[in-house]
Amino acid sequence: MTEHAVRPAAITADSAPPGVPESSATADGGRVAPPPVAWRPLGAVAALVGTLLLATNGGYGYHRDELYFLMLRPDWGYRDQPPLTPAVARLADTLSGGSLWGLRVPATLCVLAALLLAALLARELGGGALAQTLAAFGLGTGAATLIFGHVLLTAGFDVVVWLGIVLCATRALLRDQPRWWLAAGAVLGIGLYNKLLVALLLVGLGAGLLAVGPRRVLANRWLWAGVALALVVGAPNLVYQLSHELPQADMAGAIAENKGAESRTTFLPFQFLLIGPLLAAVWLAGLVGLLRRRPWGPVRALAVAYLVVCVLVLVSGGQPYYPYALLGVLFAAGCVLVAEWLRRGRRRLRALVVGAAYLLNAATSAVIALPLLPVEVLGDTPVPGINITAADSVGWPRYVDQVVRAYDELAPADRAAAVVLTANYGEAGALTRLGADRLPPIYSGHNELGFYGPPPESATVLIGVGVGEAAELRRYFGECRTAGRLDNGVGVDNEEQGVPVVVCHDRGPAWAELWPRVRHFD
């Protein structure tokens, strides 16, 4: 047993009122088994959330990241991310015959896995059927969770990886079963193929164990065996990063430079919006409970980990959603406390208040996260400003048609010598996915696509999408004119709305000379 070994009496007293035990002693008499898994209510929650996501998965259109994933060539890694999510995107796209709905099925499966992991975390902390159900329903219908389940993003897989690691760590610490560190290492190794951001979780957990213990775990051979297993499983991706001079570090720097100030400003408000403001009290209670509850002493480091990761993200200028999985851990702990609170006096009134908060939060999150509003009115609502993924999913077919129109207006000789150059991977992906058969070769200098160029020197005519105004491009071409500006027709203000489509002739410098100026990380 560790120095913070959980005693049966303490667990029972804190987890349930007298006469309603949520745990039972194991055969060895020294530890307490967690409550049973509430499969029936969890199945109902999973069916509800899964049905909601599958029913709306085809709404609005492709997200820019999805278009990018489908454009990337198979590889062990990319300059801006590891290979897992693009590989899953290609597989889902192939199996579904190019269906947008089918492409997003893996995202839905990630949400179902995440809500189950949240319920299992609540169970590990002594939560019975009610606490598990509240954790699954609350996290599963949180705004960020629904966004990650609606669009195929790296963040959806990351939440599952982080929650999986935390669940294994919790079992190792609370059950005093250190072999669970091996399972944590296996999940970590797989997670390295999705995002190296999981290193933040390791730093947070390590800092938490150093700060509040149990410190002896840091010398446990099973923990370090788990670390070694993670390195072995993740070795190909790590080798790719090292052999390419750690491009993920360059990418993190670019994000901090371009979006760091905005991210720091919005970080704190977003912590309350990610699951939903109506349920903020739940995860705050979980944070306090993990820090103060004696039976949860062995996993107090989880609360510290969240705080440490928040500080690191703020200092580095990372995205506000990076600590989301740890927020889910705090939420699961809070749901155990809510379930206990509901068993005390005025049960009906308390149940009414809690039920109303959870349902209203779910409804609000669904409107924000999912394509429930008609696209024609979306631009007149605050949703695109709150949920940028919705804004980035609108208008691609219309944008593509406008670029095709500019190409069709060229003389036949100019069409034969033309290429398309876009400012970002979303534009390049949309033109490739929705207009490749109507356009010349498509290039972009954005992130990994910058390494797919330059165009051939025979390309003397340029159709530039968002790469600059005509006056700017005349430095490199003999003649440039603005053929139009992209317009999604529904008034949604996204990154493409209003950008120029410029047609240039008589290129001056060679593409080999121009390309280093075109390539950029963002």
Side-chain angles (χ1 to χ4, degrees), residues 206-277:
L209 289 171
L210 280 173
V212 297
R215 296 181 186 89
R216 67 178 62 183
V217 172
L218 295 172
N220 189 285
R221 69 180 187 276
W222 290 104
L223 184 146
W224 292 105
V227 172
L229 179 60
L231 292 175
V232 170
V233 174
N237 180 60
L238 296 175
V239 169
Y240 175 91
Q241 289 294 318
L242 292 172
S243 63
H244 289 76
E245 300 179 349
L246 294 176
Q248 290 262 276
D250 294 334
M251 187 66 198
I255 291 174
E257 181 180 351
N258 296 325
K259 301 179 180 178
E262 178 185 355
S263 295
R264 292 185 183 97
T265 301
T266 59
F267 181 85
L268 185 58
F270 262 85
Q271 299 309 295
F272 292 91
L273 291 174
L274 288 171
I275 293 179

Side-chain angles (χ1 to χ4, degrees), residues 45 48-49 52 134 136-147 273-279 331 354-370 372:
V45 171
L48 174 65
V49 174
L52 177 62
L134 289 173
F137 182 82
L139 187 70
T141 57
T145 309
L146 291 177
I147 290 172
L273 291 174
L274 288 171
I275 293 179
L278 291 173
L279 299 184
F331 183 77
V354 170
Y358 272 72
L359 291 174
L360 185 57
N361 192 80
T364 304
S365 296
V367 172
I368 292 172
L370 302 177
L372 301 181

